[in-house]
Every structure is written in structure tokens, then in C-alpha cells.
Amino acid sequence: MVDSKYIISQDKSLLEALGQINDIGSGPLCLFVVDAEGRMVGTLTDGDSRRSLIRGAKLSDSVSLVMNRGYNCLHAGVDDDVAHLHQQRELKMKLVPVLDESGRIVDIIDLERCITRLPIDAVLMAGGKGERLRPLTLTTPKPLLKVGDKAIIDYNVERLISYGVSDINVTVNYLHEQLEEHFSQDIKGVRVKCIREPQFLGTIGSIKFVREFSHDTILLMNSDLFTNVNYEDFYMHFVTHEADMSVATIPYSVNVPYGIFELEGRNITGIKEKPSYNYYANAGIYLLKKEVLDYIPDGVFFNATDLIERLISIGRNVIRFPLTGFWIDIGKPEDYKKAQDFVKHLQ
């Protein structure tokens, strides 16, 4: 649904345009000007209006006389994808109209309210018992434990929404009634759907209970992560490398406090003094093509790592995405305390 507060007819007066700009309230003070057939013909900003008055325009003049005809736009199905939205953001654009093939506005993207619009469905796994965090999780599901002033899961849902993701599912099991009640109201205008998992089916098995997906790419993640992963970079990396599945990874180093022998059988061929080994660990965030869900068995305990191994065994393209920024897996009391301490620096 196109927000009509940003659209004005070219026949309206400058005075009427100023009134409409004033009524916008918060947000970019810009109007998109259309002709009698609804085709976009220009833009008019608060600054354009003031400058035209300084040059001698009258409040009774029509918008068509003062509008900017060199406008910026995208075209539906042509250049309105993630890469072009990224370019718009780099150009410092705040509102971007999307036109159909006839030049009519079919969408207005507010890049002040969302970073981009990722064409993905998201599934957050929230069915676990959180046993390592007991007694906190005896009466509260772990995703609803507070970090600062918000539930853990809300940080993830709101971050997804900020990337333009509006198809969000949460799979629930343990104390599911509390999660269902929590998401009974929209979050920032987005309806979050709770999907009951009838039994514990591992870290990916419950995704099969999501009956409908709107997109061909699915983001799957644990709901108890505290992270600022860049979902746009993650998605573009997935698309660029034509992956079937991408695994977000975090660096993990092992420092050995001893000298390590290099061996050939019983013979020592060298020594490494207190070496460090660098690895990448699974961050619990995945992007996958919808079609690979067919490799997940129905009603069987199945982990995301099982899917990774199965896809690799049949030659599908499984890649890693190095996660930068912060990442905390809130699994143990010390992790929960770390997140509580960390969030104080974000507020």
C-alpha cells in the first residue's frame, strides 16, 4: 500500500503542498508529484518550496511550476533489488519511489526506517528448554529473558525488520504459550507467526512445520543469539557466490601453551613453540535456498549440521560467511551476564 501522504498532484498549489509537507510530521519532508494519470513527473521538498518563494514564486502557483523534474526513482522488477537499494543508500537517499512500467508509483521505500528490503523469509528457533540457564528458564522460555529492557528474541526480530524482512516465523515448543502471547501483537508493524513444534526436532527439524514461504531464500537462526550481524552483507555474499546454503561463522583461536612436535611416525621433524591455531566456528545463523528443505526429513530429530553434511555429500554449494561485529550465544549464565554487561554500552 503506497503511503499517499507523500504524493501530490501537479495541479495543487504551492500553499497546499506546504501544508501537506507540514502534515508529514517525522520523516523525510518530500513529496512525489504525479500527473492526472498518476504518473510521476517530479519531486518537491521543503527546501525546494522555500527556494522557489525566495525566487519570487507565489503561494498560489501550481506545484508543476516549482517541482524538481530531475527526480530519482527505481523501477519495479527491474532495479528495485537489494544491490540497487544499497546504491540508493550510498547516494544518501531517504525516500525512494518505485515505479511500474507506466511510470506510476507502486511503492515508496523509506530508507530512514529500514536499511534495505531483503527478499527472504526468516525462521527463528525458539523451542529449546534452556536447561543450562536454570533456574531462570524454569518458568520463562530463554528467548524471553531480558537483556537490558528487551527480551533476547526481540533484538533479533527488530533487527530483521530493520532490514526489511516482514515474513518472520518463530518455532516454539517449551512454554510455547508465553511466546505466542508475546507475539500476539505486531512488532513494529510486522506480524510474527508462531509455529508449534510438536516434539523437539533439533536445530533445524522444526522448520518443516512452516507450511508457506513467500521467498526462495530462507534465513534460519537461533533465537537466543545477541548479535549485530549485517544481514544485507550476508545475503549479498550468498547470492554472489550462488550458494545453496551459507553458514555464518565466527573466528575461534586455540592457543597451545607448550611446544608442539611435528612428527613422522616416531621421528621428530620439528617443533612449534606455543603455536596458535585459528578456526571458524558455527554462529547458528544460516541462509539457504528453499529447495534444500527437501533434504530435511519430516518428524525426525535433525540438526543444521546434519543438513550441512548432507548437502556437502551430494555436491551442493555450502559456503561460510565470516561474521564481523559482536556475537554472543546466550547458552550459559556467564554468556547471559556478558550480554547484560555488553548491552549497557549500546544504550
Side-chain angles (χ1 to χ4, degrees), residues 113-259:
R113 300 185 68 179
C114 66
I115 297 168
T116 185
R117 285 193 179 175
L118 296 181
I120 65 175
D121 289 70
V123 180
L124 283 72
M125 300 297 188
K129 295 181 179 180
E131 292 178 330
R132 290 179 296 170
L133 278 175
R134 290 184 173 177
L136 294 174
T137 53
L138 285 173
T139 57
T140 303
K142 183 167 64 169
L144 292 186
L145 293 178
K146 292 290 185 69
V147 174
D149 60 354
K150 280 192 292 194
I152 297 169
I153 194 171
D154 286 347
Y155 287 95
N156 294 314
V157 169
E158 291 178 12
R159 187 163 184 83
L160 286 167
I161 292 171
S162 75
Y163 280 83
V165 180
S166 58
D167 294 282
I168 301 176
N169 301 276
V170 176
T171 62
V172 298
N173 186 315
Y174 178 66
L175 299 176
H176 59 81
E177 300 90 348
Q178 293 186 38
L179 283 155
E180 290 165 349
E181 173 62 25
H182 183 76
F183 290 115
S184 62
Q185 302 294 323
D186 291 358
I187 306 294
K188 294 185 179 295
V190 172
R191 181 70 170 172
V192 177
K193 298 180 286 293
C194 288
I195 311 296
R196 288 192 189 182
E197 178 188 28
Q199 63 196 76
F200 292 108
L201 294 174
T203 58
I204 201 172
S206 64
I207 198 173
K208 296 299 288 288
F209 293 100
V210 182
R211 298 304 179 190
E212 292 186 16
F213 292 103
S214 300
H215 303 92
D216 291 327
T217 303
I218 300 166
L219 182 137
L220 172 76
M221 68 180 294
N222 299 334
S223 64
D224 54 359
L225 300 176
F226 189 58
T227 178
N228 66 345
V229 57
N230 187 316
Y231 291 114
E232 182 184 62
D233 287 350
F234 191 18
Y235 174 78
M236 291 303 298
H237 186 264
F238 177 81
V239 172
T240 300
H241 293 281
E242 299 180 340
D244 295 303
M245 183 174 185
S246 180
V247 183
T249 59
I250 55 168
Y252 186 80
S253 299
V254 177
N255 299 312
V256 181
Y258 308 107

Side-chain angles (χ1 to χ4, degrees), residues 3-22:
D3 194 340
S4 60
K5 72 179 181 182
Y6 291 113
I7 299 176
I8 191 170
S9 169
Q10 65 179 352
D11 297 328
K12 296 288 186 178
S13 69
L14 180 55
L15 178 61
E16 290 174 301
L18 285 170
Q20 189 168 332
I21 289 173
N22 185 65

Side-chain angles (χ1 to χ4, degrees), residues 260-272:
I260 300 298
F261 292 126
E262 296 177 337
L263 301 173
E264 287 185 5
R266 66 170 59 89
N267 296 321
I268 297 174
T269 60
I271 186 170
K272 290 184 178 180

Side-chain angles (χ1 to χ4, degrees), residues 2 11 24 32 55 80 111 127 150 155-156 162 176 180 184 203 205 211 223 251 268 277 291 316 318 334-335 337:
V2 179
D11 297 328
I24 289 174
F32 300 117
R55 291 194 300 266
D80 60 342
L111 291 177
K150 280 192 292 194
Y155 287 95
N156 294 314
S162 75
H176 59 81
E180 290 165 349
S184 62
T203 58
R211 298 304 179 190
S223 64
I268 297 174
Y277 298 96
E291 64 187 65
R316 301 298 290 263
V318 180
E334 53 266 36
D335 301 321
K337 183 180 185 305

Side-chain angles (χ1 to χ4, degrees), residues 299-310:
V300 175
F301 190 94
F302 201 76
N303 285 324
T305 50
D306 296 323
L307 178 62
I308 292 170
E309 291 177 340
R310 180 166 293 185

